């Protein structure tokens, strides 16, 4: 494996008495696509949200493109480090979370202008280029409420990409969508994978994982219970709980 | 009973065609009711057999002579309202943010302020600031005292509205902004407040309307706005009814004008379809 572009070391997260993530290590090579699967409550979403500190981990170290942030601090300096890290890590949410009071274009240029301090013209040019590539240019001046769920999620992906992140995190990106709308979102994610985007995808779409992932990780009870290439993890699982999980998902 | 039923099930086709749409009927009735109210002030006396109807006779000569004097109070009323609206909005925003703060010393201060000013009468607060504070050497003129009190009082009420509006913005919006690396201040000013303002515009508009009318309390502390001038005009001539009605019509007009613009604003804000 080449030098990792993202690494998570010994990450722990507990809510009260319940330890949800129990010391996880993860390294991603550049351009690698990792799919995280597992039951709800297995800790996969929590792990994802700990990587960009939306949930503050109790212990561990997150490094993205050489920029490291240790967990468990409380200082103002620490919060600044987290924001620096977040510039490098894009995130796509289950509920899209587009800014409802802004048009599609305004959604895309907000953070580049405010956070990366790009000038407006450059931010607009980048955003328009992204929208064109994702086939959304005609929605440029539309408010999110006028878009279908699938379109909203694709705009949310474009918004994350507009920050030119090193890694993109997807938190069940198709779970809130009607079945007929998941296709266009998965298509967009396939496209990003082909373009060489480094991605971690928490998903229940086993077909997508099989087709697009370089590595599939089965998370169970806060640890990585099994991981490997998709054909191995999904095709001939060894872990009993993974076997029963796959049976349930497929039925 | 049978006949009634029949009438209901087979209405005359002509009557059905003549039935006006709801909006037109509403306006027609509104005009009729308004006409009835005006009739009560016409001074006309009607005798229908044994029944005598007396209506109130207004002294139109007095109204013609004094309405310019009373109406001069409109500008003072508007000035009072505008200054107080600005003051109250600023106070409400600051105390709403303070109330949501996780720093106990700050949120409790906001809590005390809101409790004090919502828990005591506005009228009394006017007196306390104008007469009470003067007693300890803090002397304000009536207008300033009224603006201070209206700002503080309505700031307290609106603070609760602001707070509810801020909390109504979904957590996902804040998370998405945070995940993009925005600072808490940027998230508040760029993402949360613009959406909160859209949510609370109707409530805040109602507060503004209420405040515009409550400026009349300033007449109790020597401010010669509409209500004050109406009393000044009515008192020596014993023509209270005439004078106060002139003032009332002005307040009503101001409210109607404000409501008109409020509605337009709300429609404009609905564009993003929240």
């Amino acid at each position: 494996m080449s030098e990792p572009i993202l690494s998570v070391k010994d990450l722990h997260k507990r809510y009260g008495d319940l330890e949800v993530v129990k010391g996880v290590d993860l390294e991603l090579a550049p351009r690698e696509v990792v799919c995280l699967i597992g039951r709800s409550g297995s800790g996969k979403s929590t792990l994802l949200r700990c990587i960009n500190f939306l949930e503050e981990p109790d212990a561990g170290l997150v490094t993205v493109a050489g920029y490291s942030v240790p967990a468990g601090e409380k200082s103002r300096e620490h919060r600044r480090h987290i924001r620096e890290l977040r510039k490098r890590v894009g995130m796509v949410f289950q509920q899209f979370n587009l800014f409802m009071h802004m048009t599609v274009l305004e959604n895309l240029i907000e953070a580049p202008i405010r956070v990366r301090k790009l000038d407006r013209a450059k931010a607009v040019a980048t955003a328009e280029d992204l929208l064109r590539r994702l086939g959304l240019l005609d929605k440029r001046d539309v408010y999110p409420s006028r878009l279908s769920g699938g379109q909203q999620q694709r705009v949310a992906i474009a918004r994350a990409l507009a920050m030119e992140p090193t890694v993109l995190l997807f938190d069940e990106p198709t779970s809130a969508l009607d079945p007929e709308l998941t296709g266009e979102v998965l298509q967009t994610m396939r496209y990003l994978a082909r373009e060489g985007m480094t991605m971690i995808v928490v998903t229940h779409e086993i077909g997508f994982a099989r087709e697009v992932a370089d590595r599939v990780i089965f998370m169970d009870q806060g640890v990585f219970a099994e991981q490997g290439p998709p054909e191995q993890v999904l095709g001939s699982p060894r872990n009993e709980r993974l076997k029963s999980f796959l049976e349930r998902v497929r039925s | 009973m049978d006949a009634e039923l029949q009438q209901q099930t087979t209405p005359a086709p002509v009557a059905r065609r003549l039935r006006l749409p709801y909006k037109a009927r509403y306006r027609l009735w509104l005009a009729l009711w308004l006409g009835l109210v005006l009739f009560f002030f016409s001074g006309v006396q009607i005798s229908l057999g044994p029944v005598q109807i007396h209506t109130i006779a207004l002294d139109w000569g007095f109204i013609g002579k004094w309405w310019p004097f009373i109406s001069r109070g409109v500008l003072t009323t508007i000035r009072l309202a505008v200054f107080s609206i600005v003051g109250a909005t600023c106070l409400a925003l600051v105390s709403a943010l303070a109330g949501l703060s996780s720093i106990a010393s700050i949120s409790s201060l906001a809590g005390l302020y809101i409790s004090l000013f919502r828990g005591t009468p506005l009228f009394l607060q006017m007196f306390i600031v104008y007469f009470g504070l003067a007693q300890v050497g803090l002397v304000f003129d009536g207008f300033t005292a009224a603006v201070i009190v209206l700002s503080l009082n309505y700031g307290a009420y609106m603070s609760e509205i602001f707070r509810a509006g801020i909390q109504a913005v979904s957590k996902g919006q804040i998370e998405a902004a945070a995940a993009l690396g925005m600072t808490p201040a940027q998230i508040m000013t760029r993402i949360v407040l613009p959406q909160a303002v859209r949510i609370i515009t109707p409530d805040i508009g109602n507060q503004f309307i209420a405040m515009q009318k409550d400026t009349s309390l300033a007449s109790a502390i020597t401010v010669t706005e509409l209500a004050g001038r109406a009393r000044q005009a009515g008192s020596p001539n014993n023509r209270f009814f005439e004078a106060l009605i002139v003032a009332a019509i002005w307040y009503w007009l101001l409210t109607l004008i404000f409501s008109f613009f409020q509605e337009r604003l709300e429609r404009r804000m609905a564009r993003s379809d929240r």
Side-chain angles (χ1 to χ4, degrees):
Chain A
M1 192 155 138
S2 57
E3 186 70 13
I5 200 160
L6 173 143
S7 86
V8 174
K9 286 206 174 70
D10 197 29
L11 191 129
H12 292 261
K13 174 68 186 176
R14 61 165 59 246
Y15 295 112
D17 287 339
L18 185 70
E19 190 164 32
V20 186
V21 181
K22 301 172 183 167
V24 158
D25 292 285
L26 174 65
E27 288 191 344
L28 259 75
R31 307 170 69 90
E32 190 179 7
V33 177
V34 168
C35 280
L36 260 178
I37 61 171
R39 291 183 181 80
S40 56
S42 60
K44 55 193 194 313
S45 277
T46 304
L47 168 61
L48 200 71
R49 291 164 59 82
C50 281
I51 291 175
N52 68 353
F53 287 76
L54 278 184
E55 305 283 348
E56 177 81 37
D58 295 309
L61 180 75
V62 178
T63 308
V64 175
Y67 192 88
S68 290
V69 181
E73 290 180 27
K74 273 202 152 32
S75 62
R76 177 184 289 262
E77 199 60 0
H78 178 60
R79 290 199 294 275
R80 201 178 57 74
H81 288 152
I82 289 175
R83 287 199 297 276
E84 274 307 312
L85 182 81
R86 285 171 177 167
K87 285 188 199 173
R88 297 160 167 80
V89 182
M91 186 156 199
V92 175
F93 298 85
Q94 185 176 346
Q95 300 292 342
F96 332 135
N97 296 345
L98 290 176
F99 304 135
M100 301 306 280
H101 61 304
M102 295 181 178
T103 63
V104 166
L105 183 77
E106 287 165 351
N107 265 279
L108 263 66
I109 63 176
E110 180 66 20
I113 291 175
R114 306 275 155 188
V115 179
R116 289 181 63 206
K117 313 289 182 198
L118 289 188
D119 65 67
R120 195 186 158 86
K122 188 158 188 304
V124 169
T126 311
E128 284 178 339
D129 181 51
L130 262 170
L131 290 174
R132 190 176 300 114
R133 277 162 54 199
L134 298 190
L136 288 161
L137 195 57
D138 58 324
K139 307 293 182 200
R140 181 185 185 277
D141 300 314
V142 172
Y143 285 96
S145 56
R146 299 257 178 241
L147 299 174
S148 73
Q151 289 167 336
Q152 286 194 45
Q153 192 61 298
R154 283 156 62 212
V155 171
I157 293 171
R159 177 177 67 179
L161 288 171
M163 287 293 282
E164 298 181 355
T166 310
V167 185
L168 212 48
L169 310 177
F170 291 84
D171 190 4
E172 301 195 26
T174 57
S175 294
L177 293 171
D178 291 334
E180 73 269 23
L181 297 177
T182 58
E184 58 179 296
V185 173
L186 294 177
Q187 196 57 43
T188 301
M189 290 164 66
R190 259 182 223 113
Y191 167 76
L192 294 181
R194 271 202 311 277
E195 294 275 294
M197 190 74 216
T198 310
M199 295 159 43
I200 304 179
V201 185
V202 170
T203 187
H204 294 294
E205 300 275 349
I206 300 299
F208 174 82
R210 181 191 301 278
E211 178 196 348
V212 180
D214 299 302
R215 178 162 42 132
V216 174
I217 300 174
F218 173 64
M219 198 162 170
D220 189 46
Q221 293 170 327
V223 294
F224 292 168
E226 186 164 344
Q227 60 175 309
E231 55 274 17
Q232 178 196 316
V233 173
L234 302 172
S236 46
R238 284 165 295 161
N239 182 295
E240 287 305 320
R241 290 172 65 89
L242 172 57
K243 281 180 196 168
S244 73
F245 170 74
L246 287 174
E247 260 163 44
R248 263 208 329 209
V249 171
R250 278 183 187 129
S251 62
Chain B
M1 179 69 189
D2 265 3
E4 255 181 49
L5 210 86
Q6 230 175 1
Q7 263 190 344
Q8 275 177 15
T9 48
T10 58
V14 177
R16 185 186 265 173
R17 240 179 285 133
L18 280 178
R19 198 168 164 79
L20 291 164
Y22 174 81
K23 212 169 180 179
R25 275 183 288 142
Y26 179 90
R27 285 187 179 148
L28 197 64
W29 276 107
L30 197 62
L32 280 171
W33 290 125
L34 183 62
L36 189 66
V37 170
L38 290 178
F39 169 73
F40 283 132
F41 291 97
S42 65
V44 176
Q45 295 189 21
I46 304 173
S47 36
L48 296 163
V51 183
Q52 287 266 329
I53 298 177
H54 294 265
T55 60
I56 297 156
L58 293 178
D59 182 346
W60 291 99
F62 172 87
I63 291 179
K65 187 168 163 219
W66 284 95
W67 83 264
F69 171 80
I70 298 168
S71 302
R72 244 172 286 152
V74 172
L75 275 183
T76 311
T77 292
I78 292 175
R79 266 174 49 224
L80 262 179
V82 168
F83 281 120
S84 306
I85 281 173
V86 173
T89 308
C90 296
L91 269 172
L93 183 58
V94 170
S95 71
L97 292 175
L100 289 168
S101 165
S102 55
I103 306 166
S105 57
I106 290 178
S107 59
S108 58
L109 180 63
L112 178 65
Y113 156 62
I114 292 166
S115 178
L116 272 180
F117 279 87
R118 293 209 314 176
T120 55
L122 175 56
F123 199 52
L124 210 69
Q125 292 165 11
M126 291 261 182
F127 285 157
I128 287 174
V129 169
Y130 186 68
F131 296 115
L133 289 184
Q135 182 187 324
V136 295
L138 257 175
V139 183
F140 298 107
D141 63 279
F143 186 89
T144 311
V147 168
I148 291 173
V149 172
L150 283 168
S151 300
L152 284 167
N153 183 280
Y154 274 85
Y157 279 98
M158 285 161 50
S159 167
E160 294 290 87
I161 297 175
F162 268 87
R163 184 184 10 196
I166 288 169
Q167 286 175 328
V169 175
S170 82
K171 202 161 159 275
Q173 298 281 307
I174 298 163
E175 281 194 344
L180 288 163
M182 294 173 77
T183 64
Q186 286 171 333
I187 295 172
M188 187 50 77
T189 56
R190 298 289 307 169
I191 307 301
V192 176
L193 282 182
Q195 294 188 65
V197 165
R198 280 166 171 77
I199 296 169
I200 64 179
T201 299
D203 292 331
I204 293 294
N206 291 341
Q207 292 290 312
F208 287 170
I209 286 174
M211 181 200 278
Q212 176 252 311
K213 290 174 295 179
D214 274 348
T215 55
S216 59
L217 293 176
S219 66
I221 52 172
T222 73
V223 182
T224 49
E225 41 64 77
L226 261 175
R229 277 174 180 262
R231 273 219 328 259
Q232 280 178 10
S235 176
N237 308 295
N238 199 23
R239 286 282 177 272
F240 281 107
F241 224 138
E242 287 80 355
L244 294 174
I245 283 176
V246 170
I249 288 173
W250 271 115
Y251 282 112
W252 195 26
L253 271 179
L254 289 177
T255 304
L256 286 178
I257 293 168
F258 188 88
S259 306
F260 172 76
F261 285 110
Q262 188 193 2
E263 249 170 64
R264 278 182 38 150
L265 181 70
E266 277 173 36
R267 239 178 300 150
R268 235 183 58 127
M269 281 189 163
R271 265 191 329 189
S272 60
D273 251 352
R274 281 291 297 192

